[in-house]
Amino acid sequence: MEENVKVAIRVRPFSDRERLRNASCVVTMIDKMTVLYDPANSKRDPRQYTFDYSYWSHDGYWERGDGYLESTSPSYVDQRKVFDDIGAEMLQNAWKGYNCSLFAYGQTGSGKSYTMMGFGTNKGIIPIMCDELFSSIETKKRSASLDQEFQVSVSMLEIYNEQVRDLLNLSLHVRGGLKVRQHPTKGFYVESLTSHAVYSQADIESRIVEGTRNRTLASTNMNSTSSRAHTIVSIYFHQKSRNNAGQFVTKMSSINLVDLAGSERSDISGTSGDRLKEGSLINQSLSTLGNVIKCLTDKTKGKQFVVAPYRESILTKLLKNALGGNSKTAMIATISPADIHYEETLSALRFANKAKNIKTTAVVNESQTDKLVRELREENQKLLDMLRRGQMGIGYTEEEVAEMRHSLEEQLKKNQEEMEKMNNSWQQRLKEAEAQNKLKLEEERQEQERMKSVPHLWNLHEDPALTGMVTHFIIPGKSKVGTLKGTEILLSGLSILPDHAVIYNKDGVVNVRPNADARLLVNGDEVRSDKMLRHNDRVLFGHNHLYVLHHPQDLAKQLREGRSVEKPTYDAAQQEIAQHLGLIGITGNRSKNRTQDDLLLEEELVQVLPHVNQANAISQELEKRVHFDIILVAPQARGLSEGRAEVCVKLVDCISGNEWVWSKNKFTNRKYMMAEMYEHYMEGQTDWDASCKDKDPFWEASDTEVPIGTVHVYLQSLAYVIELDETLAITDFRGAEQGYLHVAVVPCDDQGLERREDFLENPQEMIGKELHFKIKILSAKNLPTKIRTCFCKYKVYLDDKSTMTHESLQTGETHDINHQHLFTFNPVTKQFLSYLTNSSVVIEVWGKQERGSGEQGSLLPSSSTEPLSSARSSASDVVGANGHITVAFVIF
């Protein structure tokens, strides 16, 4: 029987960052309804969405002595309530033999990990479900016959950049990831994915922690971005017993727990015109998932001939059953309540609203065990016959035939393994798994004990789920840090040297000393010599490895002294790095009463800073001979009359000196592709470099259009029907002059003939009459020497579309543009008259640069090595027309 996917929404409390920004709550919940208010338009009706469950977890709770968050209000929903509604039903269905799937969706930091895994005594859906499962198994075992058997196993995989990685068996790491195959009856599966027998909730939790740790190490070492990765934990539950006829029957269920990539990362808007905006596979899974859900929703509305594109991404292949097949499926979307995350929250609600219309048809997976074995044997015989006869079909290439042969061989191998599992005693498999895990669990227990007394470093990560997953103990004496084998603290990745640093632990005092040329920051400040470390100090090795020191003895001392000890966060660590670089307070308002725009701008700077640093480090390591700088661009420099400054990234070719300004979104998209290239380089792939420049994320063609600057043409003279003819300075985002533009605004009659004698003494006389005028852009001169062609674009009054000039070539020092456009307003309104007297037309001047000569160089321009303070002081006095400071930074 068809049934809809069950959908729940959960709103979390404010984060520390949101409290710091004085965020206001824009979400309310009424029974099953979630209501979202637009903070930018209070008069607009709120958006209302109805789901199966709307969970209010924003406030109305207190923290008990054991750390559990308990309700003090009827509206508050705790962890147990979420499980009782969603997890308990999934568990019941698993006992009945149904496949079950649970999706977690939302932006990074919205509470997905807390809802799914929990924290401390606040257990999430997964650990509670596992607890309940094994508790039920133990209860049933007491009354079960000797022939009854309950089997539980687990697998964990990650999909990143359309590649599958087994997180519980890193030895299976192969170039291009594990293959996804299709079985004629079971659907898509991951070839060679390992599943591990487990015997308790603690065993499952240990496996998930192991997979998460492996995911953290890969993310840090290879510079990949975990928020773009999807994680699937699958729990396989088999029940074996005899039926009334005395035959062995197996009831099978798979519980798939899917943590989807951060929803805020799926948008590549702002990359229009970028030749590589579709070049990276990083966005493919989420965009395809959206397309699949849309198609499935259209089907439920009665549309015919709709085919869901499952095959277009790895994620949707593996989730085909969960989305439109044999599964009972639920989704929980977690959202932020803050006004500053309104767009991300709206996106998550829209996604969830579509998902609730999907229908699935689940069936009980129950078969006779001997029948399963017989079917596998028959299928194996057919596969063997095909291989012997070479029946691969006609018209295929040798490569395709080889691929099909390999696929058949793998399927044969998989079937054989399944038969062996069925024939082997489960108790035997469980004992083998228990023996293997016993030593690992003991090691983990001993490590937890050591952490109570031995100083150690634990990792901070952008993804809260990956924070605290990696630990390095600082043993008494000397511990070397670097990439060399045998090093006590072995790191790899961006800007990590073979012999990077040394950490000394003498008589309980911990010091760190970086080696020459090593990048090492302590609490955001660069360290060049010995530095003593205290409890909770933040240490950044290179560009990716961010750790916190836990020093038990120093912690005890600080508590005895009555000091407040707060656990550091990734956001706070990045904030202090930005502060030491002078990025905090750069908006010009250094007081505590900074505006909301100031705070949002600083937040963007803090978010972009580590990515720009990483891009520069990758460029240097791969010898790409380009450099990236963070810049702030005032609204006027973007052709707008008002608004706040925008964070952009400037790309500098270190050989030709050509410069391009990228939007933050375009840079982010390119950065993921740079990380992908770096990963291939680190893996030793011979073809890691782009085969042609068009596919190189570091390269930008010289004929790419670049903004030169803007000119503000005030129209007050038009209100008096007086001609304007001036040569105006073209200013760039720094406020520096980049040349001059000859502009004229000339009143005309309805035929376009210029009127030079008639004028008005009082502009109010124009109201109700018609006005015709021409805007002329005659020429540009003294543009930067590297500009070979230029053109202009502008908007007048309420234009949606820009008026464009043709592209002009340089003649001497002048670019002859010779553009004119006739505008007619009939009648002139009070609003338009106010525009003429108080506003300006912003003319954007764009150009194409001279082609660079020579090969790319590895040395950065001299300006890139200047101290940031001097670079800032030389630019921070330039104020845009709207009062914002427009600043270019050099980040090193």
Side-chain angles (χ1 to χ4, degrees):
M1 185 178 72
E2 273 192 340
E3 59 181 46
N4 285 76
V5 170
K6 289 197 172 179
V7 177
I9 300 294
R10 192 180 193 189
V11 60
R12 59 160 172 76
F14 284 135
S15 66
D16 291 341
R17 180 193 292 175
E18 289 163 350
R19 290 191 190 95
L20 183 66
R21 267 62 179 164
N22 298 317
S24 58
C25 182
V26 293
V27 176
T28 59
M29 289 179 169
I30 307 167
D31 194 22
K32 295 184 177 183
M33 182 184 294
T34 298
V35 182
L36 179 65
Y37 297 87
D38 186 348
N41 187 355
S42 58
K43 295 181 180 179
R44 181 177 183 175
D45 290 337
R47 300 174 186 268
Q48 299 179 349
Y49 301 91
T50 302
F51 301 100
D52 295 283
Y53 306 101
S54 286
Y55 294 133
W56 181 262
S57 301
H58 176 62
D59 56 16
Y61 63 90
W62 74 290
E63 185 175 343
R64 293 189 324 211
D66 61 357
Y68 188 79
L69 303 182
E70 189 172 63
S71 171
T72 60
S73 166
S75 61
Y76 179 75
V77 174
D78 64 2
Q79 295 283 70
R80 187 72 208 190
K81 171 63 175 171
V82 175
F83 171 78
D84 289 343
D85 287 343
I86 298 175
E89 185 177 359
M90 290 183 66
L91 195 53
Q92 290 172 8
N93 288 326
W95 275 104
K96 294 175 184 176
Y98 291 108
N99 292 333
C100 306
S101 300
L102 175 60
F103 292 85
Y105 183 81
Q107 70 180 109
T108 303
S110 63
K112 285 187 300 177
S113 298
Y114 178 78
T115 297
M116 296 293 279
M117 290 302 299
F119 181 78
T121 55
N122 297 278
K123 291 184 177 180
I125 292 175
I126 295 176
I128 296 177
M129 182 185 294
C130 295
D131 267 338
E132 297 282 338
L133 174 62
F134 283 102
S135 176
S136 299
I137 288 174
E138 289 303 316
T139 301
K140 288 183 179 292
K141 276 183 178 179
R142 296 189 191 105
S143 59
S145 65
L146 293 175
D147 293 329
Q148 272 190 295
E149 196 170 65
F150 306 97
Q151 306 175 359
V152 183
S153 56
V154 65
S155 68
M156 186 173 181
L157 63 85
E158 178 185 67
I159 303 170
Y160 179 79
N161 207 26
E162 284 301 283
Q163 296 184 12
V164 180
R165 177 165 51 206
D166 187 342
L167 292 175
L168 298 181
N169 189 357
L170 293 185
S171 63
L172 281 178
H173 179 67
V174 294
R175 179 178 177 180
L178 300 180
K179 297 292 184 183
V180 174
R181 306 288 185 188
Q182 186 172 19
H183 189 276
T185 56
K186 298 177 184 177
F188 292 102
Y189 68 95
V190 178
E191 180 181 287
S192 303
L193 181 68
T194 57
S195 63
H196 300 262
V198 288
Y199 48 87
S200 68
Q201 185 274 332
D203 195 15
I204 288 185
E205 186 174 344
S206 174
R207 290 291 184 182
I208 293 176
V209 169
E210 176 190 349
T212 306
R213 185 180 295 118
N214 289 336
R215 183 180 166 211
T216 306
L217 288 169
S219 169
T220 306
N221 293 341
M222 303 309 290
N223 198 47
S224 58
T225 305
S226 65
S227 58
R228 285 277 181 119
H230 313 280
T231 308
I232 303 177
V233 176
S234 296
I235 300 172
Y236 309 100
F237 179 38
H238 291 190
Q239 307 167 63
K240 287 187 176 182
S241 60
R242 288 186 185 273
N243 61 14
N244 293 333
Q247 299 169 319
F248 272 108
V249 174
T250 300
K251 193 180 287 184
M252 300 161 290
S253 172
S254 64
I255 305 171
N256 298 303
L257 306 162
V258 185
D259 186 351
L260 294 171
S263 58
E264 80 285 357
R265 307 290 188 181
S266 63
D267 184 20
I268 56 170
S269 61
T271 61
S272 59
D274 183 9
R275 70 183 191 284
L276 290 178
K277 69 175 179 178
E278 301 296 342
S280 176
L281 300 174
I282 204 83
N283 301 300
Q284 189 165 320
S285 288
L286 267 186
S287 59
T288 304
L289 178 61
N291 292 337
V292 167
I293 288 177
K294 182 180 183 302
C295 289
L296 295 176
T297 302
D298 289 344
K299 276 188 177 181
T300 62
K301 294 178 180 178
K303 289 189 178 181
Q304 297 181 344
F305 310 112
V306 177
V307 179
Y310 292 109
R311 292 179 174 273
E312 291 183 7
S313 81
I314 297 295
L315 177 70
T316 47
K317 283 180 182 179
L318 297 179
L319 298 183
K320 184 177 181 182
N321 272 341
L323 292 169
N326 177 22
S327 176
K328 288 183 176 288
T329 301
M331 187 184 92
I332 184 160
T334 54
I335 59 174
S336 162
D339 53 349
I340 59 176
H341 291 133
Y342 170 79
E343 293 297 336
E344 290 87 348
T345 297
L346 177 59
S347 174
L349 290 174
R350 284 172 170 167
F351 186 91
N353 199 50
K354 290 179 182 177
K356 72 181 184 183
N357 297 312
I358 298 173
K359 295 181 182 293
T360 60
T361 306
V363 297
V364 174
N365 302 297
E366 186 175 40
S367 298
Q368 295 177 14
T369 306
D370 53 356
K371 181 184 175 184
L372 283 173
V373 174
R374 185 176 69 250
E375 288 176 348
L376 284 170
R377 282 183 181 145
E378 291 173 355
E379 184 179 349
N380 272 6
Q381 190 58 50
K382 289 179 182 178
L383 292 170
L384 281 169
D385 291 343
M386 289 178 68
L387 285 169
R388 287 172 185 150
R389 293 195 298 265
Q391 291 181 351
M392 305 297 170
I394 301 172
Y396 292 103
T397 65
E398 290 184 9
E399 291 80 5
E400 290 171 331
V401 170
E403 175 68 17
M404 285 188 283
R405 176 177 289 277
H406 177 71
S407 180
L408 290 175
E409 290 171 347
E410 286 296 329
Q411 184 60 51
L412 189 65
K413 180 181 174 183
K414 186 176 180 63
N415 289 351
Q416 191 65 36
E417 288 173 353
E418 286 193 26
M419 283 195 294
E420 289 174 1
K421 287 179 184 178
M422 290 178 184
N423 291 327
N424 288 344
S425 162
W426 173 254
Q427 293 303 323
Q428 179 184 344
R429 287 186 62 205
L430 203 56
K431 284 180 180 178
E432 291 173 358
E434 191 171 359
Q436 292 173 1
N437 293 341
K438 193 172 182 180
L439 180 60
K440 179 169 67 70
L441 290 172
E442 178 60 24
E443 288 175 351
E444 289 181 0
R445 188 192 66 78
Q446 291 179 3
E447 182 174 293
Q448 291 296 321
E449 288 299 315
R450 285 185 72 194
M451 290 169 68
K452 296 176 182 178
S453 58
V454 180
H456 56 273
L457 296 169
W458 56 273
N459 76 301
L460 276 177
H461 199 281
E462 181 182 13
D463 186 341
L466 305 189
T467 287
M469 286 291 115
V470 181
T471 302
H472 295 291
F473 286 98
I474 301 173
I475 58 176
K478 183 171 68 172
S479 298
K480 291 185 177 180
V481 182
T483 62
L484 292 175
K485 289 184 178 179
T487 300
E488 287 79 7
I489 299 178
L490 186 64
L491 304 178
S492 64
L494 276 176
S495 304
I496 300 297
L497 303 180
D499 192 9
H500 197 89
V502 179
I503 301 178
Y504 299 92
N505 181 0
K506 184 177 181 181
D507 300 328
V509 178
V510 178
N511 285 272
V512 62
R513 178 193 298 166
N515 290 319
D517 302 323
R519 186 176 194 263
L520 191 148
L521 275 62
V522 175
N523 300 334
D525 197 11
E526 189 160 10
V527 174
R528 291 293 182 186
S529 58
D530 280 29
K531 173 75 175 178
M532 189 175 81
L533 299 179
R534 301 293 305 272
H535 176 72
N536 273 353
D537 277 352
R538 285 73 59 201
V539 185
L540 177 64
F541 300 97
H543 286 91
N544 276 1
H545 292 270
L546 182 57
Y547 288 90
V548 176
L549 175 68
H550 180 86
H551 196 313
Q553 293 76 26
D554 191 36
L555 169 61
K557 180 182 177 182
Q558 291 184 36
L559 292 175
R560 284 195 303 269
E561 294 172 350
R563 297 186 188 181
S564 175
V565 180
E566 295 184 4
K567 193 173 183 179
T569 64
Y570 178 85
D571 289 337
Q574 292 296 341
Q575 182 104 356
E576 68 184 356
I577 292 172
Q579 195 157 11
H580 277 84
L581 288 173
L583 298 186
I584 303 303
I586 203 63
T587 54
N589 186 357
R590 296 179 180 272
S591 70
K592 292 183 179 179
N593 300 318
R594 285 174 289 176
T595 67
Q596 187 76 354
D597 280 350
D598 291 339
L599 293 170
L600 288 172
L601 186 61
E602 287 179 4
E603 183 174 341
E604 284 188 44
L605 286 168
V606 171
Q607 290 173 345
V608 171
L609 175 62
H611 295 288
V612 170
N613 281 336
Q614 290 164 14
N616 279 327
I618 296 173
S619 172
Q620 193 166 20
E621 196 155 333
L622 300 185
E623 297 186 354
K624 285 295 180 178
R625 283 93 169 166
V626 298
H627 186 71
F628 300 93
D629 297 332
I630 295 177
I631 62 173
L632 299 183
V633 183
Q636 285 77 13
R638 308 194 306 272
L640 304 175
S641 58
E642 58 184 15
R644 68 181 179 89
E646 186 176 283
V647 177
C648 295
V649 176
K650 181 176 69 173
L651 167 66
V652 182
D653 186 319
C654 300
I655 296 301
S656 67
N658 285 348
E659 299 178 358
W660 298 266
V661 175
W662 287 353
S663 70
K664 186 181 70 171
N665 284 339
K666 178 174 179 177
F667 168 75
T668 300
N669 193 57
R670 291 288 192 96
K671 163 62 173 46
Y672 291 125
M673 298 178 67
M674 295 171 199
E676 181 184 340
M677 178 180 281
Y678 180 72
E679 183 173 350
H680 294 165
Y681 168 77
M682 289 290 287
E683 289 174 345
Q685 297 184 21
T686 55
D687 58 348
W688 64 265
D689 204 356
S691 56
C692 62
K693 286 185 176 181
D694 282 340
K695 295 182 179 180
D696 188 340
F698 292 92
W699 185 76
E700 195 71 89
S702 59
D703 60 357
T704 299
E705 296 168 357
V706 295
I708 299 171
T710 56
V711 171
H712 292 257
V713 182
Y714 290 90
L715 303 176
Q716 193 172 21
S717 63
L718 262 185
Y720 296 89
V721 198
I722 296 175
E723 175 188 4
L724 170 79
D725 189 333
E726 292 190 24
T727 299
L728 303 171
I730 304 168
T731 55
D732 66 6
F733 59 85
R734 304 178 187 89
E737 289 189 4
Q738 297 295 319
Y740 299 92
L741 194 68
H742 186 183
V743 182
V745 181
V746 184
C748 303
D749 61 19
D750 57 357
Q751 301 298 315
L753 297 175
E754 297 178 6
R755 298 164 52 190
R756 299 182 183 274
E757 297 179 357
D758 299 333
F759 67 91
L760 298 177
E761 292 186 359
N762 185 356
Q764 295 296 321
E765 298 175 25
M766 189 182 293
I767 295 175
K769 299 179 181 178
E770 58 183 349
L771 174 67
H772 311 275
F773 63 91
K774 288 181 182 177
I775 291 183
K776 296 182 176 181
I777 304 176
L778 303 173
S779 64
K781 64 179 181 179
N782 296 339
L783 298 182
T785 54
K786 58 189 174 185
I787 298 297
R788 58 187 177 89
T789 66
C790 77
F791 68 94
C792 303
K793 58 182 179 178
Y794 59 93
K795 294 178 181 178
V796 174
Y797 194 38
L798 301 178
D799 285 350
D800 291 324
K801 203 172 179 184
S802 294
T803 301
M804 307 275 292
T805 74
H806 69 274
E807 194 172 292
S808 66
L809 290 170
Q810 185 175 6
T811 305
E813 294 184 352
T814 302
H815 292 258
D816 292 322
I817 299 174
N818 296 324
H819 161 84
Q820 61 178 7
H821 190 87
L822 177 65
F823 293 88
T824 297
F825 291 89
N826 186 14
V828 172
T829 63
K830 288 183 179 180
Q831 184 181 6
F832 178 66
L833 186 60
S834 175
Y835 167 75
L836 291 181
T837 55
N838 299 305
S839 301
S840 63
V841 170
V842 181
I843 300 177
E844 300 176 55
V845 184
W846 290 70
K848 294 181 180 179
Q849 301 172 97
E850 294 286 355
R851 290 182 175 85
S853 60
E855 298 180 359
Q856 293 179 331
S858 60
L859 297 177
L860 299 178
S862 58
S863 63
S864 67
T865 59
E866 292 175 2
L868 180 65
S869 58
S870 65
R872 184 174 65 253
S873 63
S874 65
S876 60
D877 295 329
V878 181
V879 181
N882 67 336
H884 282 292
I885 297 176
T886 59
V887 187
F889 294 98
V890 178
I891 306 300
F892 60 93

